């Protein structure tokens, strides 16, 4: 073996490794790819040379040979939303375990940005894509070459694409939240909805309506206020409900985690106390929900599992492209804490009250094939 490594600053090649180890290029290739028997002594020499030269495989060249880039894309609609942080971690962990890298794109609910990310990932020869589609007309997706760039949808279901999807049973989650407030004696329950026109918003509103109907409570349009799934929208919508001329709500159901922050700001701004004057249940359970004052009653989504399952479906699609698309719906959990007033309705003190009371265990309800 050569004792001195001189490459004049250029990256080491497989030929350099072979020369340094005193073996053939074929032997180095066999060691790297583990596809042929190489004696332990030769394999050790090759690994020593790789370390000495700092040799790194050219993943692009390897990808061109194998027609794969070993990368997948994740396009999310709002990078400020902690929901997507946990989802992205689930996707990344599955991808990394398979030797894949992750390219992340944030659209800020901008359809043009979404389209540009789709085209960018295709040009980068990404092997597949996981996306939370933005609000708007996705007509361009009807002609999208899903066979060339497989797509898995998360959080929202685009009607323009017949693709695999991982969603939450939003109707069930909203129903549980509203029924919880009803069992505490509330009948005037306001709802702060998210972005209009997306399946997540529509399904959570449907769950709210179904719970009221099941308990014989008339639907009052004055108790429905639209937010924009962000903090400012939650504050604006909550203020609308809490200051209206009609009878004010005694409880609020806020359908996204970021809007809950805005709703709490609105409650404080009008001089009310939560839950003594106004009960509150949110959707999304983040780490800060259990340490806020009051501790928040929320509908918990299995966000990490959403990312995991989406990545698993994508890799299954890459292996079997001709199978029927699947819709997987995961079950949420209602986590009862102080903001809904449950502790106040109990003979126990808040300190004695369990932090998390789960209404329903997490499970996968269905793997349905799309028609």
């Amino acid at each position: 073996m050569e004792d001195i490594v001189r490459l004049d600053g250029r990256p080491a090649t497989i030929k350099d490794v072979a020369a340094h180890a005193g073996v053939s290029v074929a032997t180095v290739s066999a060691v790297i790819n583990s596809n042929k028997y190489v004696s332990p002594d030769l394999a050790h020499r090759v690994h020593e040379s790789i370390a000495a030269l700092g040799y790194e495989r050219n993943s692009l060249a390897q990808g061109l040979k194998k027609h794969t880039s070993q990368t997948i894309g994740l396009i999310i609609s709002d990078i400020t939303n902690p929901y997507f942080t946990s989802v992205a971690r689930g996707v990344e962990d599955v991808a990394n375990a398979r030797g894949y890298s992750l390219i992340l794109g944030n659209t800020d609910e901008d359809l043009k940005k979404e389209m540009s990310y789709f085209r960018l990932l295709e040009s980068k020869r990404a092997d597949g894509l996981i996306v939370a589609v933005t609000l708007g007309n996705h007509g361009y997706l009807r002609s999208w070459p899903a066979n060339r760039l497989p797509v898995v949808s998360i959080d929202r279901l685009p009607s323009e694409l017949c693709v695999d999807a991982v969603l939450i049973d939003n109707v069930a989650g909203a129903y549980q939240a509203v029924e919880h407030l009803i069992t505490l004696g509330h009948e005037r329950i306001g709802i702060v909805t998210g972005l209009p026109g997306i399946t997540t918003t529509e399904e959570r509103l449907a769950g709210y309506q179904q719970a009221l109907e099941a308990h014989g409570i008339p639907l009052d349009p004055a108790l429905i206020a639209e937010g924009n799934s962000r903090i400012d929208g939650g504050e604006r919508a909550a203020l609308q409900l809490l200051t209206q001329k009609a009878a004010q709500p005694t409880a609020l159901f806020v359908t996204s985690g970021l809007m809950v922050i805005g709703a709490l700001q609105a409650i404080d701004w009008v001089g009310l106390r939560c839950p003594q004057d106004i009960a509150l249940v949110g959707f999304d359970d983040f780490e800060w929900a259990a340490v806020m004052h009051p501790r928040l009653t929320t509908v918990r989504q299995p966000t990490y599992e959403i990312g995991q399952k989406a990545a698993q479906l994508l890799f299954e699609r890459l292996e079997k492209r001709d199978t029927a698309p699947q819709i997987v719906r995961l079950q949420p959990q209602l986590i009862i804490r102080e903001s809904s007033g449950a502790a106040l309705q109990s003979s126990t003190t808040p300190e004695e009250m369990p932090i998390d009371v789960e209404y329903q265990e997490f499970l996968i309800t269905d793997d349905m094939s799309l028609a």
Side-chain angles (χ1 to χ4, degrees):
M1 288 176 54
E2 298 177 4
D3 295 323
I4 300 175
V5 179
R6 292 194 180 94
L7 296 177
D8 300 323
R10 63 177 176 80
T13 67
I14 193 171
K15 291 182 179 180
D16 295 324
V17 173
H20 188 271
V23 299
S24 68
V25 170
T27 298
V28 176
S29 178
V31 171
I32 292 173
N33 295 299
S34 300
N35 57 5
K36 291 182 181 179
Y37 174 78
V38 177
S39 70
D41 177 61
L42 287 182
H44 179 71
R45 285 162 55 188
V46 169
H47 285 301
E48 280 192 332
S49 296
I50 288 173
L53 297 174
Y55 171 73
E56 294 182 359
R57 299 176 70 183
N58 187 329
S59 59
L60 177 60
Q62 293 291 327
L64 290 174
K65 291 180 180 179
K66 298 180 180 180
H67 304 287
T68 175
S69 65
Q70 296 295 109
T71 61
I72 60 172
L74 173 62
I75 300 177
I76 59 176
S77 57
D78 182 3
I79 201 169
T80 66
N81 191 336
Y83 165 89
F84 288 113
T85 304
S86 182
V87 169
R89 183 59 183 268
V91 173
E92 184 180 40
D93 285 352
V94 173
N96 287 347
R98 290 173 173 260
Y100 277 69
S101 299
L102 183 66
I103 300 175
L104 178 65
N106 171 55
T107 65
D108 285 322
E109 298 289 356
D110 185 332
L111 184 60
K112 290 182 179 179
K113 288 183 70 175
E114 177 184 281
M115 294 171 65
S116 67
Y117 274 122
F118 263 77
R119 296 190 180 103
L120 173 66
L121 288 165
E122 186 185 24
S123 70
K124 295 290 185 182
R125 297 180 179 271
D127 296 321
L129 171 63
I130 298 170
V131 59
V133 295
T134 63
L135 178 66
N137 184 351
H138 294 81
Y140 78 97
L141 293 178
R142 293 190 183 96
S143 59
W144 187 258
N147 60 325
R148 190 163 71 242
L149 183 65
V151 176
V152 175
S153 179
I154 56 171
D155 189 54
R156 308 164 183 181
L157 186 61
S159 59
E160 298 87 354
L161 268 182
C162 184
V163 295
D164 299 305
V166 181
L167 311 171
I168 286 295
D169 191 342
N170 290 294
V171 174
Y175 188 102
Q176 291 173 18
V178 177
E179 185 173 59
H180 170 63
L181 290 169
I182 293 172
T183 61
L184 294 175
H186 297 282
E187 293 189 358
R188 288 195 61 77
I189 302 171
I191 181 172
V192 176
T193 62
L195 287 165
I198 61 174
T199 54
T200 305
T201 298
E202 294 170 351
E203 290 171 357
R204 292 175 189 176
L205 179 59
Y208 165 84
Q209 294 170 330
Q210 289 178 19
L212 295 179
E213 182 180 0
H215 290 271
I217 301 175
L219 178 67
D220 184 353
L223 292 176
I224 302 173
E226 178 188 309
N228 62 1
S229 298
R230 296 193 177 185
I231 295 174
D232 60 347
E235 181 176 16
R236 183 176 61 252
L239 281 174
Q240 175 186 325
L241 294 172
L242 296 174
T243 59
Q244 63 183 358
K245 293 181 179 180
Q248 296 177 1
T250 62
L252 292 179
F253 171 44
V254 183
T255 60
S256 84
L258 290 180
M259 291 196 301
V260 166
I261 299 174
L264 286 169
Q265 291 173 341
I267 290 170
D268 182 66
W269 191 86
V270 299
L272 296 176
R273 297 169 302 163
C274 177
Q276 292 89 339
D277 303 317
I278 183 80
L280 176 67
V281 177
F283 211 108
D284 291 331
D285 187 54
F286 305 127
E287 292 180 358
W288 43 260
V291 297
M292 292 186 70
H293 181 72
R295 293 178 293 180
L296 294 177
T297 296
T298 62
V299 178
R300 175 184 292 167
Q301 300 191 70
T303 49
Y304 181 82
E305 289 83 358
I306 292 170
Q308 277 188 317
K309 187 61 180 179
Q312 289 166 4
L313 286 182
L314 182 59
F315 286 115
E316 289 175 15
R317 176 63 52 195
L318 290 172
E319 294 168 2
K320 298 179 181 179
R321 295 182 181 247
D322 296 330
T323 57
Q326 299 179 71
I327 295 180
V328 177
R329 284 192 182 270
L330 307 183
Q331 283 296 315
Q333 300 168 302
L334 178 63
I335 309 299
I336 302 175
R337 301 190 183 99
E338 296 169 349
S339 68
S340 60
L344 301 180
Q345 298 290 326
S346 170
S347 59
T348 60
T349 66
E351 288 74 24
E352 294 169 337
M353 189 81 171
I355 291 179
D356 289 354
V357 181
E358 298 183 357
Y359 258 35
Q360 187 168 353
E361 292 184 357
F362 162 77
L363 49 84
I364 297 177
T365 55
D366 62 333
D367 277 10
M368 304 188 301
S369 291
L370 285 169

